[in-house]
Short mmCIF file of all heavy atoms in Angstrom, two decimals:
data_model
loop_
_atom_site.label_atom_id
_atom_site.label_comp_id
_atom_site.label_asym_id
_atom_site.label_seq_id
_atom_site.Cartn_x
_atom_site.Cartn_y
_atom_site.Cartn_z
N PHE A 1 3.95 -12.65 4.94
CA PHE A 1 3.57 -11.25 4.74
C PHE A 1 2.45 -11.15 3.72
O PHE A 1 2.45 -11.88 2.72
CB PHE A 1 4.77 -10.43 4.25
CG PHE A 1 5.88 -10.37 5.24
CD1 PHE A 1 6.93 -11.26 5.17
CD2 PHE A 1 5.87 -9.44 6.26
CE1 PHE A 1 7.96 -11.23 6.09
CE2 PHE A 1 6.88 -9.38 7.18
CZ PHE A 1 7.93 -10.28 7.10
N ILE A 2 1.52 -10.27 3.99
CA ILE A 2 0.50 -9.90 3.02
C ILE A 2 0.73 -8.42 2.75
O ILE A 2 0.55 -7.58 3.62
CB ILE A 2 -0.93 -10.14 3.57
CG1 ILE A 2 -1.11 -11.61 3.94
CG2 ILE A 2 -1.97 -9.67 2.55
CD1 ILE A 2 -2.40 -11.89 4.69
N ASP A 3 1.19 -8.13 1.53
CA ASP A 3 1.52 -6.75 1.17
C ASP A 3 0.42 -6.13 0.33
O ASP A 3 -0.01 -6.72 -0.66
CB ASP A 3 2.83 -6.70 0.37
CG ASP A 3 4.03 -7.09 1.21
OD1 ASP A 3 3.96 -6.94 2.44
OD2 ASP A 3 5.03 -7.54 0.63
N VAL A 4 -0.04 -4.96 0.75
CA VAL A 4 -1.01 -4.17 -0.02
C VAL A 4 -0.27 -2.92 -0.47
O VAL A 4 0.19 -2.14 0.35
CB VAL A 4 -2.24 -3.79 0.84
CG1 VAL A 4 -3.17 -2.87 0.05
CG2 VAL A 4 -2.97 -5.03 1.30
N TRP A 5 -0.14 -2.75 -1.78
CA TRP A 5 0.52 -1.58 -2.34
C TRP A 5 -0.53 -0.50 -2.48
O TRP A 5 -1.40 -0.58 -3.33
CB TRP A 5 1.19 -1.93 -3.66
CG TRP A 5 2.38 -2.81 -3.43
CD1 TRP A 5 2.37 -4.16 -3.25
CD2 TRP A 5 3.74 -2.39 -3.31
NE1 TRP A 5 3.64 -4.60 -3.02
CE2 TRP A 5 4.51 -3.55 -3.07
CE3 TRP A 5 4.38 -1.15 -3.40
CZ2 TRP A 5 5.88 -3.50 -2.91
CZ3 TRP A 5 5.75 -1.12 -3.25
CH2 TRP A 5 6.49 -2.28 -3.00
N TRP A 6 -0.43 0.53 -1.63
CA TRP A 6 -1.43 1.59 -1.55
C TRP A 6 -1.34 2.50 -2.76
O TRP A 6 -0.30 3.07 -3.05
CB TRP A 6 -1.22 2.39 -0.27
CG TRP A 6 -2.26 3.44 -0.09
CD1 TRP A 6 -2.14 4.78 -0.34
CD2 TRP A 6 -3.60 3.25 0.36
NE1 TRP A 6 -3.31 5.42 -0.07
CE2 TRP A 6 -4.23 4.50 0.37
CE3 TRP A 6 -4.32 2.14 0.76
CZ2 TRP A 6 -5.55 4.67 0.76
CZ3 TRP A 6 -5.62 2.32 1.14
CH2 TRP A 6 -6.22 3.56 1.15
N ARG A 7 -2.45 2.62 -3.46
CA ARG A 7 -2.52 3.51 -4.62
C ARG A 7 -3.69 4.47 -4.49
O ARG A 7 -4.12 5.04 -5.46
CB ARG A 7 -2.62 2.69 -5.90
CG ARG A 7 -1.35 1.87 -6.13
CD ARG A 7 -1.36 1.21 -7.43
NE ARG A 7 -1.67 2.19 -8.46
CZ ARG A 7 -1.28 2.12 -9.70
NH1 ARG A 7 -0.56 1.10 -10.08
NH2 ARG A 7 -1.61 3.02 -10.59
N GLY A 8 -4.22 4.59 -3.30
CA GLY A 8 -5.29 5.54 -3.09
C GLY A 8 -6.57 4.90 -2.61
O GLY A 8 -6.68 3.69 -2.46
N HIS A 9 -7.56 5.75 -2.39
CA HIS A 9 -8.83 5.30 -1.82
C HIS A 9 -9.74 4.58 -2.80
O HIS A 9 -10.72 3.97 -2.39
CB HIS A 9 -9.58 6.51 -1.22
CG HIS A 9 -8.93 7.01 0.02
ND1 HIS A 9 -9.17 6.48 1.26
CD2 HIS A 9 -8.02 8.00 0.22
CE1 HIS A 9 -8.46 7.11 2.17
NE2 HIS A 9 -7.74 8.04 1.57
N SER A 10 -9.45 4.64 -4.11
CA SER A 10 -10.38 4.03 -5.07
C SER A 10 -10.57 2.55 -4.82
O SER A 10 -11.66 2.03 -4.96
CB SER A 10 -9.91 4.28 -6.50
OG SER A 10 -8.65 3.66 -6.72
N ASN A 11 -9.51 1.83 -4.45
CA ASN A 11 -9.68 0.42 -4.10
C ASN A 11 -8.85 0.02 -2.89
O ASN A 11 -8.89 -1.12 -2.47
CB ASN A 11 -9.35 -0.48 -5.29
CG ASN A 11 -7.86 -0.55 -5.57
OD1 ASN A 11 -7.08 0.27 -5.09
ND2 ASN A 11 -7.47 -1.52 -6.35
N GLY A 12 -8.10 0.95 -2.34
CA GLY A 12 -7.21 0.63 -1.24
C GLY A 12 -7.91 0.09 -0.02
O GLY A 12 -7.43 -0.86 0.62
N GLN A 13 -9.04 0.69 0.33
CA GLN A 13 -9.74 0.23 1.53
C GLN A 13 -10.24 -1.20 1.35
O GLN A 13 -10.17 -2.02 2.28
CB GLN A 13 -10.88 1.18 1.84
CG GLN A 13 -10.33 2.54 2.26
CD GLN A 13 -11.36 3.65 2.17
OE1 GLN A 13 -12.22 3.64 1.31
NE2 GLN A 13 -11.25 4.61 3.07
N LEU A 14 -10.72 -1.53 0.16
CA LEU A 14 -11.15 -2.89 -0.13
C LEU A 14 -9.96 -3.86 0.01
O LEU A 14 -10.10 -4.93 0.59
CB LEU A 14 -11.73 -2.98 -1.55
CG LEU A 14 -12.02 -4.37 -2.08
CD1 LEU A 14 -13.14 -5.02 -1.28
CD2 LEU A 14 -12.40 -4.30 -3.55
N MET A 15 -8.81 -3.43 -0.47
CA MET A 15 -7.64 -4.30 -0.41
C MET A 15 -7.18 -4.53 1.03
O MET A 15 -6.75 -5.62 1.39
CB MET A 15 -6.51 -3.72 -1.26
CG MET A 15 -6.88 -3.53 -2.74
SD MET A 15 -7.62 -4.98 -3.51
CE MET A 15 -6.19 -6.00 -3.65
N ILE A 16 -7.29 -3.49 1.86
CA ILE A 16 -6.91 -3.63 3.27
C ILE A 16 -7.84 -4.63 3.96
O ILE A 16 -7.40 -5.50 4.71
CB ILE A 16 -6.93 -2.26 3.98
CG1 ILE A 16 -5.77 -1.40 3.48
CG2 ILE A 16 -6.86 -2.44 5.50
CD1 ILE A 16 -5.82 0.03 3.95
N ILE A 17 -9.11 -4.53 3.68
CA ILE A 17 -10.07 -5.46 4.29
C ILE A 17 -9.82 -6.88 3.79
O ILE A 17 -9.88 -7.84 4.56
CB ILE A 17 -11.52 -5.01 3.99
CG1 ILE A 17 -11.69 -3.66 4.57
CG2 ILE A 17 -12.54 -6.06 4.41
CD1 ILE A 17 -12.84 -3.30 5.38
N LEU A 18 -9.54 -7.02 2.51
CA LEU A 18 -9.23 -8.34 1.96
C LEU A 18 -8.00 -8.93 2.64
O LEU A 18 -8.01 -10.10 3.03
CB LEU A 18 -9.01 -8.25 0.44
CG LEU A 18 -8.65 -9.53 -0.27
CD1 LEU A 18 -9.74 -10.57 -0.12
CD2 LEU A 18 -8.39 -9.25 -1.74
N ALA A 19 -6.96 -8.12 2.82
CA ALA A 19 -5.76 -8.60 3.50
C ALA A 19 -6.10 -9.02 4.93
O ALA A 19 -5.65 -10.07 5.41
CB ALA A 19 -4.69 -7.51 3.50
N HIS A 20 -6.89 -8.21 5.62
CA HIS A 20 -7.30 -8.55 6.99
C HIS A 20 -8.07 -9.87 7.02
O HIS A 20 -7.84 -10.73 7.88
CB HIS A 20 -8.14 -7.42 7.59
CG HIS A 20 -8.80 -7.80 8.87
ND1 HIS A 20 -8.10 -7.95 10.05
CD2 HIS A 20 -10.10 -8.09 9.15
CE1 HIS A 20 -8.94 -8.32 11.00
NE2 HIS A 20 -10.15 -8.40 10.48
N LEU A 21 -8.99 -10.04 6.07
CA LEU A 21 -9.77 -11.28 6.03
C LEU A 21 -8.88 -12.50 5.79
O LEU A 21 -9.14 -13.57 6.34
CB LEU A 21 -10.86 -11.19 4.97
CG LEU A 21 -12.01 -10.24 5.29
CD1 LEU A 21 -12.94 -10.10 4.09
CD2 LEU A 21 -12.76 -10.69 6.53
N LEU A 22 -7.83 -12.34 5.00
CA LEU A 22 -6.90 -13.44 4.78
C LEU A 22 -6.26 -13.89 6.10
O LEU A 22 -6.03 -15.07 6.31
CB LEU A 22 -5.81 -13.05 3.80
CG LEU A 22 -6.16 -13.11 2.32
CD1 LEU A 22 -5.05 -12.49 1.48
CD2 LEU A 22 -6.44 -14.54 1.88
N THR A 23 -6.00 -12.93 6.99
CA THR A 23 -5.37 -13.28 8.27
C THR A 23 -6.31 -14.07 9.17
O THR A 23 -5.86 -14.65 10.16
CB THR A 23 -4.88 -12.03 9.04
OG1 THR A 23 -6.01 -11.25 9.44
CG2 THR A 23 -3.90 -11.22 8.22
N GLN A 24 -7.59 -14.11 8.85
CA GLN A 24 -8.54 -14.87 9.65
C GLN A 24 -8.50 -16.36 9.31
O GLN A 24 -9.05 -17.19 10.03
CB GLN A 24 -9.96 -14.33 9.45
CG GLN A 24 -10.10 -12.86 9.79
CD GLN A 24 -9.58 -12.52 11.17
OE1 GLN A 24 -10.10 -13.00 12.16
NE2 GLN A 24 -8.55 -11.70 11.24
N ASN A 25 -7.84 -16.71 8.19
CA ASN A 25 -7.67 -18.10 7.80
C ASN A 25 -6.49 -18.66 8.58
O ASN A 25 -5.46 -18.01 8.70
CB ASN A 25 -7.42 -18.17 6.29
CG ASN A 25 -7.16 -19.58 5.83
OD1 ASN A 25 -6.08 -20.12 6.03
ND2 ASN A 25 -8.15 -20.17 5.19
N TRP A 26 -6.60 -19.86 9.09
CA TRP A 26 -5.55 -20.43 9.93
C TRP A 26 -4.21 -20.47 9.23
O TRP A 26 -3.17 -20.33 9.86
CB TRP A 26 -5.94 -21.81 10.46
CG TRP A 26 -6.00 -22.89 9.43
CD1 TRP A 26 -7.07 -23.28 8.70
CD2 TRP A 26 -4.93 -23.73 9.01
NE1 TRP A 26 -6.75 -24.29 7.85
CE2 TRP A 26 -5.43 -24.59 8.02
CE3 TRP A 26 -3.59 -23.84 9.35
CZ2 TRP A 26 -4.65 -25.55 7.37
CZ3 TRP A 26 -2.81 -24.79 8.71
CH2 TRP A 26 -3.35 -25.63 7.74
N GLU A 27 -4.20 -20.67 7.91
CA GLU A 27 -2.93 -20.75 7.19
C GLU A 27 -2.21 -19.40 7.16
O GLU A 27 -1.00 -19.36 6.98
CB GLU A 27 -3.16 -21.24 5.77
CG GLU A 27 -3.64 -22.67 5.71
CD GLU A 27 -4.01 -23.11 4.32
OE1 GLU A 27 -4.77 -22.40 3.66
OE2 GLU A 27 -3.51 -24.16 3.89
N TRP A 28 -2.94 -18.32 7.30
CA TRP A 28 -2.34 -16.98 7.24
C TRP A 28 -2.42 -16.26 8.57
O TRP A 28 -2.10 -15.08 8.67
CB TRP A 28 -3.07 -16.16 6.16
CG TRP A 28 -2.79 -16.67 4.79
CD1 TRP A 28 -3.51 -17.60 4.09
CD2 TRP A 28 -1.70 -16.31 3.96
NE1 TRP A 28 -2.93 -17.83 2.88
CE2 TRP A 28 -1.81 -17.04 2.77
CE3 TRP A 28 -0.62 -15.43 4.11
CZ2 TRP A 28 -0.90 -16.94 1.73
CZ3 TRP A 28 0.29 -15.32 3.06
CH2 TRP A 28 0.14 -16.08 1.90
N SER A 29 -2.81 -16.95 9.62
CA SER A 29 -3.04 -16.28 10.91
C SER A 29 -1.76 -15.71 11.52
O SER A 29 -1.83 -14.78 12.32
CB SER A 29 -3.73 -17.23 11.88
OG SER A 29 -2.91 -18.36 12.14
N ASN A 30 -0.61 -16.24 11.18
CA ASN A 30 0.65 -15.72 11.70
C ASN A 30 1.29 -14.70 10.78
O ASN A 30 2.45 -14.35 10.95
CB ASN A 30 1.65 -16.87 11.95
CG ASN A 30 1.21 -17.76 13.08
OD1 ASN A 30 0.65 -17.29 14.06
ND2 ASN A 30 1.42 -19.05 12.93
N SER A 31 0.55 -14.22 9.81
CA SER A 31 1.13 -13.30 8.83
C SER A 31 1.03 -11.85 9.29
O SER A 31 0.22 -11.50 10.14
CB SER A 31 0.45 -13.47 7.48
OG SER A 31 -0.91 -13.15 7.57
N GLU A 32 1.87 -11.04 8.70
CA GLU A 32 1.87 -9.60 8.98
C GLU A 32 1.36 -8.87 7.74
O GLU A 32 1.84 -9.10 6.63
CB GLU A 32 3.28 -9.12 9.30
CG GLU A 32 3.36 -7.64 9.57
CD GLU A 32 4.78 -7.17 9.88
OE1 GLU A 32 5.64 -8.00 10.21
OE2 GLU A 32 5.00 -5.95 9.79
N VAL A 33 0.36 -8.02 7.94
CA VAL A 33 -0.16 -7.20 6.84
C VAL A 33 0.66 -5.93 6.79
O VAL A 33 0.85 -5.26 7.82
CB VAL A 33 -1.66 -6.87 7.04
CG1 VAL A 33 -2.16 -5.95 5.94
CG2 VAL A 33 -2.49 -8.15 7.09
N ARG A 34 1.16 -5.62 5.60
CA ARG A 34 1.92 -4.39 5.41
C ARG A 34 1.25 -3.57 4.32
O ARG A 34 0.98 -4.08 3.24
CB ARG A 34 3.36 -4.68 5.00
CG ARG A 34 4.12 -5.50 6.02
CD ARG A 34 5.56 -5.73 5.65
NE ARG A 34 5.68 -6.53 4.45
CZ ARG A 34 6.81 -7.10 4.05
NH1 ARG A 34 7.92 -6.96 4.76
NH2 ARG A 34 6.85 -7.82 2.94
N ILE A 35 0.95 -2.31 4.65
CA ILE A 35 0.40 -1.39 3.66
C ILE A 35 1.58 -0.56 3.18
O ILE A 35 2.19 0.17 3.96
CB ILE A 35 -0.70 -0.49 4.28
CG1 ILE A 35 -1.72 -1.34 5.04
CG2 ILE A 35 -1.34 0.37 3.19
CD1 ILE A 35 -2.39 -2.43 4.26
#
């Protein structure tokens, strides 16, 4: 799991993209992103 704790738009969108990019790595490709 890759968990992003949403605290608003100030940095949340960046964190969502970062979590998504992590899933592009083979080691994290089977992970679930949870906001």
Side-chain angles (χ1 to χ4, degrees):
F1 297 94
I2 301 171
D3 293 334
V4 175
W5 290 82
W6 184 259
R7 295 187 51 153
H9 289 275
S10 63
N11 73 344
Q13 293 162 326
L14 171 66
M15 301 310 287
I16 290 171
I17 300 228
L18 178 61
H20 170 72
L21 289 173
L22 280 171
T23 67
Q24 303 307 297
N25 177 284
W26 70 268
E27 293 174 310
W28 291 91
S29 62
N30 292 323
S31 62
E32 179 180 342
V33 176
R34 300 183 295 194
I35 310 304

